[in-house]
Amino acid sequence: MTNRLSIIVPVLDEASGIAASLAALLPLRARGRADACIARALTAGAQWGRFDVKIEGASAMFPLIATAMNLRSRRTGIATGDHAMFVRRELFQRVGGFPDQPLMEDAELSRRLRRATKPSCLRERVLTSGRRWERGGVWHTIVLMCQLRLRYWLGVSPKVLARAYR
């Protein structure tokens, strides 16, 4: 049986850009670069993992923010959707799949996955949008994201956090 790669793209309010995002995934049908990186990690024994990120946009702060995100993820074993997470189907099902919550579902999923086994942290970079950072202001968004993560780990409901996020 041939291994297949299924791609789940988490989106919210992305109607204007979804066509371009999906078009960018078409080369993977021809076994693209990300596919090969994931295959190497899985062959080496990884059960799940993520890529480093690069933030798309004009802010001179984006490279520093991306570096901090990547370092934090490597140290904690917690990934976000921005990191283009990958996981073997069996492990995904064993940890209960995506949690049914309005925010921090990616962090919760990676926390569950990390309890089973450590992630493979790939240095290849994926591009993530910087629109929220640009729209909300870089410093304001940094503070907001830190507060949301801290409050989540302290047990605040994802529903409460989702209101603060939006």
Side-chain angles (χ1 to χ4, degrees), residues 50 52-53 64-83 104 106-107 110 114 119 121 133 142 145-146 149-150 153:
R50 74 356 157 242
D52 277 353
V53 298
L64 180 61
I65 294 167
T67 298
M69 289 171 63
N70 295 331
L71 288 173
R72 183 193 72 236
S73 178
R74 283 180 188 282
R75 290 190 65 131
T76 65
I78 299 293
T80 64
D82 291 326
H83 287 104
M104 304 297 284
D106 48 2
S110 65
R114 185 188 65 189
C121 297
W133 300 86
I142 289 171
M145 296 302 186
C146 289
R149 274 191 302 279
L150 176 62
W153 299 125

Side-chain angles (χ1 to χ4, degrees), residues 44-120:
Q47 296 297 303
W48 78 284
R50 74 356 157 242
F51 290 84
D52 277 353
V53 298
K54 177 181 178 183
I55 303 173
E56 178 182 46
S59 175
M61 291 289 295
F62 286 167
L64 180 61
I65 294 167
T67 298
M69 289 171 63
N70 295 331
L71 288 173
R72 183 193 72 236
S73 178
R74 283 180 188 282
R75 290 190 65 131
T76 65
I78 299 293
T80 64
D82 291 326
H83 287 104
M85 297 165 62
F86 59 92
V87 59
R88 287 191 177 275
R89 177 189 306 265
E90 299 80 21
L91 179 59
F92 181 73
Q93 291 172 336
R94 191 169 80 217
V95 302
F98 283 112
D100 185 15
Q101 59 189 63
L103 193 68
M104 304 297 284
E105 68 284 357
D106 48 2
E108 180 61 31
L109 174 62
S110 65
R111 178 166 61 174
R112 293 176 185 177
L113 293 168
R114 185 188 65 189
R115 285 180 186 149
T117 185
K118 68 180 208 164
S120 177

